[in-house]
Amino acid sequence: IPDFKALHLPPIYTELVEKANEGLILVVGVTGCGKSSTLAAMVNHINLTQAVHIITIEDPVEYRIVPAKAIVSQRELGIDVPDYHTALRYIVRQDPDIVFIGELRDHDTVMAAISAAETGHLVFATMHTADTLQSFSRILEFFPASERAFIRSALATSLKAIMAQRLLPAAEGFEVSVVPATEVLLNNAICKSKILEGDDGALPAVIAGCVNEGMRSFTTSLAELVNKDWVTKRVAMEYAPNREALDSILKGM
């Protein structure tokens, strides 16, 4: 299992898994963006440093986590359990500290993940969304309009962070062929109020205004990659959500 350094992830990933002891952490991105590797690195970092009980539910199991300081139980859909819903219904009886869910894909898995996070567990999960803002829209789509106020309240309480990533071709001669551009939303007081108010559209502005807390936008991440010579400016511009903003940062404005 690669570590954060090998994956070229920013320090906030290490800080988050070392400080968090409960709540919901989502790693999101499109297919093939390295979500599984990132989550494996996060869970294994806990395994190597904390005496806790980790249970994973995966479809399929992609990385074998060898127990170190932690007790690790890995379950695969179709072999150990029939589906996520059944697994999550019984998982709390095994008294886990950390729960890793392969993917939040429907109403039942989202509810189970939020419930586990609200009852004192640290829950890791993935979603197939392009960025942090789309993650909220996708979660709400799983629920009828009558339940969305409750889900917003639950997310405001239980959400710890959403970490989005996409892979970019690395500069010629760099040690690896691809590097991740990342977007990190941490659920601080401002973020909680925006979630409760239904003002999801303000979340990119929250990220931009809280960089000193460890949050980061894709634009900031792309500028860092260019300044470190990990990717070329041309590649960064191709992937930039806002080319003018990226150009301004690179010019020091």
Side-chain angles (χ1 to χ4, degrees):
I1 298 176
D3 58 19
F4 297 120
K5 184 178 180 180
L7 292 173
H8 299 88
L9 292 168
I12 186 61
Y13 282 70
T14 309
E15 295 170 18
L16 190 62
V17 295
E18 289 180 349
K19 294 178 180 177
N21 51 26
E22 62 180 15
L24 176 62
I25 296 176
L26 294 177
V27 176
V28 306
V30 298
T31 302
C33 72
K35 297 188 298 294
S36 297
S37 298
T38 296
L39 265 173
M42 296 174 84
V43 173
N44 197 48
H45 185 82
I46 295 173
N47 170 46
L48 296 171
T49 57
Q50 300 179 37
V52 293
H53 183 197
I54 301 170
I55 298 181
T56 77
I57 311 164
E58 303 171 71
D59 182 24
V61 171
E62 295 186 60
Y63 287 95
R64 178 169 174 259
I65 302 172
V66 180
K69 281 194 172 183
I71 298 170
V72 183
S73 307
Q74 293 184 265
R75 303 286 182 260
E76 182 168 322
L77 294 194
I79 296 175
D80 303 301
V81 289
D83 52 58
Y84 279 118
H85 179 56
T86 302
L88 289 165
R89 191 167 69 241
Y90 292 107
I91 201 170
V92 291
R93 297 185 183 181
Q94 297 189 24
D95 192 28
D97 301 291
I98 314 293
V99 178
F100 167 34
I101 303 168
E103 182 187 352
L104 298 185
R105 57 175 62 166
D106 55 33
H107 174 283
D108 290 338
T109 52
V110 172
M111 276 302 303
I114 291 174
S115 298
E118 286 184 320
T119 52
H121 303 87
L122 180 58
V123 181
F124 293 92
T126 70
M127 287 187 71
H128 287 285
T129 54
D131 53 35
T132 56
L133 185 57
Q134 283 190 20
S135 301
F136 282 97
S137 301
R138 180 64 55 83
I139 289 172
L140 292 172
E141 286 173 3
F142 291 138
F143 297 86
S146 59
E147 295 181 20
R148 289 180 183 173
F150 164 73
I151 291 302
R152 284 189 176 278
S153 177
L155 282 173
T157 303
S158 62
L159 184 68
K160 185 68 66 175
I162 301 180
M163 316 177 93
Q165 65 184 54
R166 55 189 70 165
L167 293 180
L168 279 66
E172 188 175 349
F174 191 58
E175 59 194 69
V176 292
S177 59
V178 292
V179 290
T182 56
E183 180 182 54
V184 177
L185 173 69
L186 304 177
N187 192 17
N188 61 9
I190 301 172
C191 183
K192 287 180 181 179
S193 67
K194 297 300 181 185
I195 294 172
L196 288 171
E197 294 164 6
D199 191 10
D200 302 339
L203 293 178
V206 172
I207 293 173
C210 299
V211 175
N212 60 332
E213 296 182 24
M215 297 198 206
R216 49 197 285 122
S217 67
F218 275 124
T219 303
T220 304
S221 179
L222 289 168
E224 285 183 6
L225 294 175
V226 173
N227 289 331
K228 290 178 179 178
D229 294 324
W230 290 6
V231 301
T232 63
K233 182 178 178 180
R234 179 185 60 78
V235 168
M237 285 296 180
E238 287 179 10
Y239 286 82
N242 185 325
R243 295 184 179 183
E244 291 77 14
L246 175 58
D247 193 49
S248 296
I249 292 175
L250 291 173
K251 290 177 179 177
M253 298 170 60

